[in-house]
Amino acid sequence: MPDFTLAIPTYNGEHRLPEVLEKLRECAAHASRSQLLPQNFSWEILVVDNNSKDNTAKVVKEYQQNWSENYPLKYCQEQQQGAGFARQRAIKEAKSELIGFLDDDNLPAQNWIAAAYTFSQEHPKAGAFGSQIHPLYEVEPPENFQKLAPFLAITERGEKPILYHPSSKLLPPSAGLVVRKQAWLENVPNKLILTGRANGKMLTSEDLEVLSHIQQSSWEIWYNPAMEIYHKIPHWRLERSYLISLIRGIGLSRHVTRMIGVKPWQKPLVIPAYMANDLRKIILHILKHGNKVNTDLIAACEMQLYLSSLISPFFIYKKIYFGSE
């Protein structure tokens, strides 16, 4: 059995995957030169094709023909659309206990594999731990964009490891995430409510739903800055229409992650409390920004988050019981 599985969920990634795979070759070469990993360390790469319509399968097949047997490149297809389904398939297919996730627009630093494995050995109670994620913007982002950067999985929280306590309301994104298979299988339901943006569906935060379940257990969740990746951000992901849609989906999903760990008898008290706090944020935001909530990109996105969070309980109820968005 390998010591580490590197899973890459992808949808129509024929043009993005090659750069990621070349970076992983660099990781393998660096690990060999630096001797940062045990001599008998073995790992595998698993591309999870989430029902792509392009030549993703062909690209992987071409790479497999000249790929090192020391870290085999494997391929599987997940036909249920959504990143959540792709990651669940990766958990099922992975041969190792330790599973790392990279999106097809994530470029790992040369020592990423070594840093991930080392951290797992130093923190045996860590059920999941995330990377330090730097942006690679195609165009210059708007002023004050650092407020929105975390919604694009940009995670720069310092150079020291951080234990995510439930009270902090912070969790790492799935990009650059490493999980222990045992922690996932013991705590994550087979059927999740949030499955990712696909087929016109707006709900996102499927990674936070998974991590919230793990966080409720005895496993720890960490930020490991030694694991560095670079996230490619194309120009269209900085456009107003995309950002508003993305953040609306995040807000609408919040009821799910908020209710994980809340007992049924507590919900009649907790739900109104969250809604009251969301309403308070809306009022304060309007008082602070005035008409800018419609014209300023950052203010508009923040307002969208508060509004969609407020209606999230009703939206989720509709999704669960009526199966529509």
Side-chain angles (χ1 to χ4, degrees), residues 56-114:
T56 293
K58 181 181 178 181
V59 168
V60 177
K61 186 175 181 179
E62 290 174 350
Y63 265 90
Q64 286 175 325
Q65 293 175 359
N66 297 294
W67 198 261
S68 172
E69 294 182 358
N70 294 329
Y71 49 103
L73 174 61
K74 301 179 180 180
Y75 170 91
C76 70
Q77 187 177 66
E78 174 52 56
Q79 294 188 346
Q80 284 188 283
Q81 205 75 54
F85 293 120
R87 293 187 194 109
Q88 286 182 306
R89 181 63 181 272
I91 295 294
K92 180 180 178 181
E93 297 288 337
K95 300 301 182 184
S96 66
E97 172 61 20
L98 207 60
I99 304 162
F101 289 97
L102 290 178
D103 294 340
D104 61 15
D105 55 4
N106 296 163
L107 306 179
Q110 289 186 347
N111 69 334
W112 192 85
I113 300 293

Side-chain angles (χ1 to χ4, degrees), residues 240-284:
R240 181 187 180 95
S241 58
Y242 174 83
L243 289 169
I244 291 290
S245 176
L246 171 70
I247 290 175
R248 182 168 187 259
I250 292 171
L252 291 175
S253 307
R254 277 194 162 175
H255 179 69
V256 174
T257 52
R258 284 172 169 177
M259 291 301 106
I260 293 174
V262 176
K263 295 179 174 58
W265 65 267
Q266 295 174 320
K267 290 182 179 180
L269 300 174
V270 173
I271 294 174
Y274 271 120
M275 294 181 68
N277 191 44
D278 291 330
L279 186 59
R280 179 187 66 84
K281 290 179 180 179
I282 291 170
I283 295 171
L284 291 175

Side-chain angles (χ1 to χ4, degrees), residues 298-312:
I298 309 302
C301 287
E302 290 176 329
M303 175 59 81
Q304 184 58 241
L305 180 64
Y306 302 146
L307 287 171
S308 53
S309 297
L310 176 65
I311 67 172
S312 177

